[in-house]
Amino acid sequence: MNEKTEIIAEPDVKMVTFTIDGKEVTAPDRTFLIKVAREHNIEIPTLCYNEHLEPYGVCRMCIVEVTRNGRRRIVTACNYPVTEGIVVETRNERIINNRKLLLEMMMARHSEVEVIRNLAKEYGVDTIRFKEQPSEECILCGLCVRVCNDLVGAHALCFAQRGPERYVTTPYDVESDTCIGCGACYHVCPTNHIKMEQMDGLSVVYGDVSLGPDKPIHIDFMQAVPATPWIDQKSCIHFQTDGCGICSEVCPTDAIHYDMKDEIVEVEAGNIIVTSGFKGFDPSPMYQFGYGRLPQVMTSIEFEKLSNAGGSTGGKLLTPDGRTPEAVAIVHCIGSRDKNYNEYCSRICCMQSLKFSHLIREKTGAEVYQCYIDMRCFGKGYEEFYSRVLSEDVHFIRGKVSEVTDFSPDGLPEGKVLIKVEDTLLGIVREIPVDMVILSVGIEPQVGAQDLKQKLRISVSPDSFFLERHPKLAPVATATEGVFIAGCAQGPKDIPDTVAQANAAAAAVLQAIAQGEVMLEPITAEVMEEQCTGCETCLSVCPYEAITKDEEKGIAVINDALCKGCGTCVAACPSGAIKQWGFDREQIIAEIDAVLADIAV
Amino acid sequence: MLQVEMNKKKVDAELDEMLAGYERDRTEVIMVLQDIQDKYNWLPQEALTYVAKNWQIPMTDMYHIVTFYKAFSLKPRGKHILQLCLGTACHVREAPFILDALERDHGIKNRETTDDGLFTLETVNCVGACAQGPILIIDGQMRGNMTQTKVGGIIRKLRKAHKEEVAENE
Amino acid sequence: MAELEVVEEKETGTAPTTGRFEPKIVAFLCTWCSYTGADLAGTARMEYPPNFIPIRVMCSGRVDPEFIFKAFRDGADGVAVCGCHPGDCHYISGNFKTMSRMPIVKRYLEQMGLEPERFRLEWISAAEGEKFQQVATEMTEQVRKLGPLNWNETVETQ
Amino acid sequence: MNKFASAEELTRYQGELKRKTNGALKTISLCGGTGCKACGCNEIHTKLVEELNLREIRADIKVTGCQGFCEMAPLIVIRPDDTLYIQVKPRDIPEIVEKSIAGNEIVDRLVYHDSDGKPIPKESDVPFYKAQLRLVSKKTPYIDPMEIDDYIALGGYSALAKVLTSMSPEEVISEVKKSGLRGRGGGGFPTGRKWESCRKAEGERKFVICNADEGDPGAFMDCALLEGNPHQVLEGMLIGAYAIGSSEGFIYVRHEYPRAVQTFSNALFQAGEYGLLGKNILGTDFSFEVAINRGGGAFVCGESTALMASLEGRVGEPRAKYIHTVEHGLFNLPSNLNNVETWATVPAIIDMGVEEFTKIGNEKNKGTKMFSLVGKIKNTGLIEVPLGATLRQVVFDIGGGIAKEKAFKAIQTGGPSGGLLPEGMLDLPVDFDKLWEAGSMMGSGGMIVMDEDNCVVNISRYFLNFLKDESCGKCLPCREGIRYMMEILEKIEKGEGTMEDLETLEEIAHTVADTSICGLGKSAPNPVLSSLTYFKDEYIAHIKDKKCPGGICKALINYYILEDKCNGCGVCAKVCTMNAITGKKDQVHRIDLDLCEKCGACLESCPTEAIVRR
């Protein structure tokens, strides 16, 4: 009975009081002793216990002595249901001696297994009096078999034989065809006898292929906003075999519902702010830098993750082979200000590189070589920061790096690569061995910006960032009424500018909302009843379905709230029965006459 | 492991007819396996998958059951089944000497089948005829007061009979 | 700074400076794309001939074939209709209608004896200031080569 | 035969049967127990039928279950004058038929002779039977197990009728509690209390289970009961089910007892025919069904929770008993499990009444207990003695002392969970508590007698080796501890043991007993511990003197030919596969100790017992 025990008693549960090592405790009746002990952090060692599985009680590590109505006996805490008035002793001499001998038995068979060696050391077990055998990693605790059969429901692992020949295997010792590779057995194995390797993206468990990342429920990275975990359905057990369900059990706010689905949400919105952000330029096409080929070469975004406290190295700056770098090169304008890729300047790389140089100098004291074309420190306090970095004796080389290579005729120290850069100020080509090369990659429109353009009917500027209505007077508005753009969607910019634009866009939206009503399009079309023959040609022309047929009068009617004033229906009407305010037939004809009239301009 | 491929369809058909009487209830699984073992003299994998499917028992439980209980054998057993009683009474009357003799003189090891597929030796614990210990059961027929020499005689007789039989139908 | 040239005014419709035949080309530009493109060419200080005179309409779909014939009849030597690239139209499908109407007008004009170069349908987006300049210059030169249309003599009489 | 609609119909039918059976005809009861079957009781039966037809003599032949005197198998008893003929051969049949059946004489040479040669023809006078008190196995010699009428004729099922018609379930329970009946499976838990707690447990659906696994090697009492008198066991289960309020029963029979399965399923069929099983038994609203479940061959399934796991179609792995099976047993429902003999005793209690029953046995151990007396004993067989009888009475009065005039060394009771008791303990009364205090255990009832030619270390290693193979391997102490203990004993057997080994042995024994999950592990150390307490000197002999007093441990003994006894017949030389024995015809032979494999074949086959091992 996998008891759902919260120590804070529900109303109808009978509470019992008893003593553990002389300390009085209360707990719901028939709770397993181990749970109560751990609640009061009384240390009882366990090997085959997992709170989400039925207790199995086979490793006998959790033995304690219990006196109940006058009878003293040794029981296992993991599956002993507590009752009123029992006296529990977790560490008396008899228990310690028994546990020592049990550990000695285990050491004879599992001498190399770490968790056993630690326990043995803790209990002072050093002489092994039994015939020692070659160390086996599996201690037959059965956690993997039980999690696979009872919890996951994949029925892939089982015990075989009995007595000392008992071992864990798959039926007929062949690769299981029911294993879903969820990795549950890999996680619960106390001696990590079950290995899980990554084989081209899939984790191979116990020789069987798994389907996804090792932990189905995870947070991508610590700085994610919002930092909420998500479930990868492909490798989550519940979605494979309808088993498990531990996460919903332990979630205190009961926030996990397996039946939630991705839905298309239709929102009636009067205004849209497009903040699709940017994508870092992928430097792989630039073979000369060896990105993707040389492990030392990384993009500025990857370096950002490396130096981040939440990153894989916890903020420590390490080369891929785990060494602290002695020399680092930072290369500017990768994919920006470059005829073959993007002509525009991405604005942020210079200041970002300065930040990196400062960080590297401070954290590792390595030599930093910054290869730039122009230092564009345009913002408030930016130039001052540049001079400060200069004072931290960072080497600034004015020139484009021509090549990064790991080959050099007179040999290269282990783990270093060579950068070749033409120093235009000294007029020489320099070759500098470094441990790490950071490519300051430029900014490109976000993936998928193209089809967003189609959907929202907004246009893009030549550098394929979204086009603002007016570069100076309306930088966050677009030609389409009610659609706004902010941040890198409109063009490369750093955080201060992005924030400013965000506020601007928000203000514009609020202003429209605050007005309470919407200004109608002045230039709309209107049907002249007396001329309309009801031929319905115009109905099919209007993309906004603004024209409907008035059945009694037998004439077409235009709804001026929907009409956007394009005039296509006016031109299409065979009987010229539709007027367009501001671009009526007479007005255009007058313009043509004016254009063709021979009067001096 | 001696892998003997049985024709799956044939096995399924035979089992359908033989096990029709059972109600496909989980408590019958051990008896069903014993009936199958009586029929084929061992438990082919096809039979296990058949039972697993029809009694809705995962293959993991099936494999543990057939390797746990001594009554079942996953390998084909010999033509003659020798069961030597090693109960305490027989042990006390020197049954182990017979066990050693079987292995030493006739190459029949405990819980194994001889290469020629003629003999399978299994040890059992007390079949209830302790007065006539040591007991050797040959194909279900009990022989009491066994000694090494008597056992030697029986084995040689069976081997000769088998040789003649083989000679006949060639 | 280029030296400011004083522009002399002339009676005839031809441009005052060159004495050559200066054609008159009426260009219907849709507000959201070609007109903005033209505007961009202007702000980018791109030079293009003044003969290419724009008339703004909300969408190229608004251009009624009647206006084209009226322009030719009233003395235009060439007419151009410019709109957004298909799929970019601010009014979703306005330029599709133009795409279906204008070929008919083109064939009609050819049957009336006009040279094909006198009428062009062009898609120019708001970002293609250069393209606008190139279309205007090229069409002006082509019509200049063809000489004046003189609708009455050439078309009316047939 | 239609079903009994009421208890009266049953009693009326009993009356008719009684009148029919005590007719003029003589009854020849032929023992058909497993042991006798192994000695050719079938041939004797066919010869007997032939002879009777030849002589056109009409007599009633009954092939009964095990009558107990296995040593003297095959047995024939001529009723009603109860003449017992022992070790009968087919060729003796004509003489028996002519003299004892046609006439009333006794064939003297086939009768039992006591130690000073006096013939004792009457069965009840033979010392083997006289010293016993047969209560549970009383009816077996008079019944053909395949015939329900025989059982009913002897008053069978009247206990059930009495219970169903005149007693309430609570009254039955209090009767059983008053009777002091304790579990015959070996634990000795008061049966009445067990029934009561099972009756009180929550839940409508309850199970009654009969544990016929009898895994103890050297014990075959349950087998004899099931094969000899299945109806008594069934009647006990019916009474228990009525008392507990269960309508579903199981009997878990051991894989090695196919004949028991046969006789019991036949009994179930016949009981069903007579309306004593199934719906509305004897017209009352009590109904009960029993299903037979054949075990898969695992000693551990004798333990209650493992048995239930096996019944559920799972692997026989025991579970912690913190939750009692009477509350959550089979399929997690209340289940009452008792041993075959316990169920068979219940009808006897109801029939004879509690006062009579409590007269038998001593203060805390009431009634009788069946034992299988085997090993180096003169009269090997199945016996039943009142609890409290001393070991000496069992071994010497009933057992007739040690075979081949050898010296008694030890008696092992309780099977692999029991212990070895020395000569000094022979006056110990045989009951649950005294045996437990002495470090042994009643167990299911196996009693193995050992003489000077047995080695205590070897026996302990035998039990540990048996338990190592039978351990389910689930919990660490039992799986590993027993193996390490056995390895130490093997070292001692090879003469490589040290005194520290004995201390380690004791330490492991206590840990295995303290921390194992089930009875198998908890009681596994008993044989070793008791042999260490009573036979420490033999261990020391193995360790220090490198000698095996019993002459069993191969590494420590050699085979010698005694000059004075050897007549030079050469049989040993022929038999020795290692041809380590040399010698000319009619001259004293010699064994070359280097070649000798110590296989013992020569000793076995020497006609003049001239070969010894020391």
Side-chain angles (χ1 to χ4, degrees), chain B residues 22 26-27 29-31 34-35 64-65 68-71 86-89 91-94 97 100 104-105 124-132 142 147-149, chain D residues 34-35 39 70 217-218 220 254-255 292-297 310-317 331 374-376 380 454 458 462-463 466 470 554 599 601 604 613:
Chain B
Y22 284 97
R26 171 125 199 186
T27 58
V29 74
I30 292 175
M31 286 188 283
Q34 281 172 349
D35 290 354
H64 195 190
I65 287 174
F68 183 87
Y69 290 107
K70 245 193 327 202
L86 282 183
T88 332
H91 175 85
V92 158
R93 294 184 177 200
E94 272 118 40
F97 286 89
D100 300 345
R104 191 182 61 245
D105 306 343
V124 286
N125 301 316
C126 195
V127 287
C130 306
Q132 284 72 30
M142 262 193 228
T147 64
Q148 297 183 38
T149 34
Chain D
T34 337
C39 292
C70 305
F220 55 94
R254 189 159 161 242
H255 163 66
I292 296 184
N293 202 312
R294 277 173 285 143
S310 184
L311 278 183
E312 286 167 10
R314 287 186 291 107
V315 163
E317 275 178 4
F331 307 122
V374 292
K376 298 290 184 64
T380 313
N454 289 111
N458 172 275
Y462 159 77
F463 278 122
F466 167 79
E470 295 300 334
K554 282 190 177 172
C599 71
E604 227 174 48
R613 52 174 178 238

Side-chain angles (χ1 to χ4, degrees), chain B residues 96-107:
Chain B
F97 286 89
I98 296 175
L99 185 67
D100 300 345
L102 277 170
E103 182 169 348
R104 191 182 61 245
D105 306 343
H106 309 286

Side-chain angles (χ1 to χ4, degrees), chain D residues 17-37:
Chain D
L17 280 178
K18 277 211 180 70
R19 270 191 307 287
K20 216 167 43 183
T21 47
N22 51 26
L25 278 184
K26 282 199 175 167
T27 337
I28 307 160
S29 88
L30 181 64
C31 171
T34 337
C36 292
K37 271 265 170 16

Side-chain angles (χ1 to χ4, degrees), chain A residues 393-522:
Chain A
D393 39 27
V394 167
H395 311 281
F396 283 85
I397 303 169
R398 194 207 171 282
K400 278 283 269 181
V401 170
S402 64
E403 193 194 1
V404 178
T405 170
D406 56 359
F407 165 75
S408 140
D410 38 31
L412 264 174
E414 183 47 33
K416 285 207 190 295
V417 281
L418 204 67
I419 62 163
K420 292 178 185 157
V421 58
E422 182 216 354
D423 188 332
T424 52
L425 302 181
L426 301 179
I428 52 164
V429 175
R430 297 174 59 178
E431 289 187 358
I432 309 164
V434 287
D435 301 293
M436 192 191 282
V437 178
I438 304 171
L439 305 177
S440 254
V441 288
I443 284 186
E444 284 181 339
Q446 179 60 281
V447 170
Q450 285 318 323
D451 58 33
L452 198 58
K453 176 173 82 82
Q454 309 289 61
K455 285 203 191 79
L456 296 177
R457 290 281 164 286
I458 47 180
S459 42
V460 285
S461 47
D463 54 16
S464 61
F465 287 97
F466 289 119
L467 183 65
E468 64 287 357
R469 178 175 292 185
H470 194 279
K472 293 182 171 54
L473 306 178
V476 285
T478 63
T480 319
E481 198 50 47
V483 175
F484 301 88
I485 48 177
C488 283
Q490 191 259 346
K493 54 178 61 63
D494 61 2
I495 293 176
D497 295 354
T498 305
V499 169
Q501 282 211 334
N503 294 332
V509 165
L510 288 175
Q511 180 223 341
I513 294 171
Q515 269 168 353
E517 79 268 316
V518 176
M519 275 196 301
L520 276 188
E521 186 65 38

Side-chain angles (χ1 to χ4, degrees), chain D residues 237-430:
Chain D
M237 286 178 78
L238 282 158
I239 295 171
Y242 172 71
I244 290 162
S246 152
S247 60
E248 285 167 275
F250 282 94
I251 175 165
Y252 183 85
V253 185
R254 189 159 161 242
H255 163 66
E256 285 87 351
Y257 289 169
R259 283 188 59 244
V261 172
Q262 232 175 357
T263 37
F264 200 83
S265 45
N266 173 51
L268 287 181
F269 174 71
Q270 289 180 345
E273 291 281 300
Y274 277 40
L276 295 162
L277 189 64
K279 288 273 170 297
N280 312 91
I281 295 168
L282 291 177
T284 65
D285 50 19
F286 169 61
S287 7
F288 185 60
E289 284 296 337
V290 175
I292 296 184
N293 202 312
R294 277 173 285 143
F299 168 72
V300 72
C301 286
E303 196 270 346
S304 52
T305 57
L307 186 141
M308 289 173 194
S310 184
L311 278 183
E312 286 167 10
R314 287 186 291 107
V315 163
E317 275 178 4
R319 62 160 170 80
K321 283 244 205 36
Y322 310 139
I323 300 124
H324 299 301
T325 51
V326 281
E327 284 152 18
H328 295 284
L330 189 59
F331 307 122
N332 221 10
L333 301 170
S335 324
N336 182 83
L337 177 134
N338 277 117
N339 173 278
V340 170
E341 197 183 333
T342 318
W343 289 120
T345 315
V346 167
I349 295 174
I350 304 289
D351 279 344
M352 70 197 301
V354 175
E355 300 70 30
E356 278 308 307
F357 185 77
T358 41
K359 285 204 188 95
I360 308 165
N362 64 20
E363 196 248 339
K364 278 228 223 71
N365 300 266
K366 293 299 176 193
T368 63
K369 178 75 182 72
M370 291 171 71
F371 291 103
S372 51
L373 192 55
V374 292
K376 298 290 184 64
I377 187 95
K378 267 213 185 87
N379 302 338
T380 313
L382 185 67
I383 62 169
E384 183 173 356
V385 286
L387 283 169
T390 66
L391 281 171
R392 191 178 298 284
Q393 279 170 314
V394 168
V395 172
F396 290 95
D397 300 353
I398 303 174
I402 308 303
K404 298 195 187 98
E405 306 323 320
K406 294 274 180 177
F408 169 87
K409 174 178 273 185
I411 181 162
Q412 206 277 343
T413 65
S417 333
L420 283 149
L421 300 178
E423 179 140 22
M425 295 292 224
L426 276 177
D427 297 320
L428 200 68
V430 176

Side-chain angles (χ1 to χ4, degrees), chain D residues 529-589:
Chain D
L529 287 177
S530 59
S531 63
L532 276 173
T533 17
Y534 300 116
F535 299 92
K536 190 107 181 191
D537 48 1
E538 273 210 26
Y539 281 88
I540 294 166
H542 280 76
I543 293 170
K544 289 231 172 75
D545 323 338
K546 301 282 187 259
K547 274 273 162 281
C548 170
I552 296 284
C553 302
K554 282 190 177 172
L556 307 175
I557 51 141
N558 280 314
Y559 283 73
Y560 305 97
I561 297 180
L562 306 175
E563 277 87 6
D564 49 359
K565 283 200 174 169
C566 167
N567 61 16
C569 67
V571 165
C572 54
K574 237 188 318 52
V575 159
C576 176
T577 47
M578 293 297 147
N579 32 52
I581 303 176
T582 51
K584 293 196 195 58
K585 194 90 179 68
D586 305 334
Q587 293 209 335
V588 174
H589 283 59

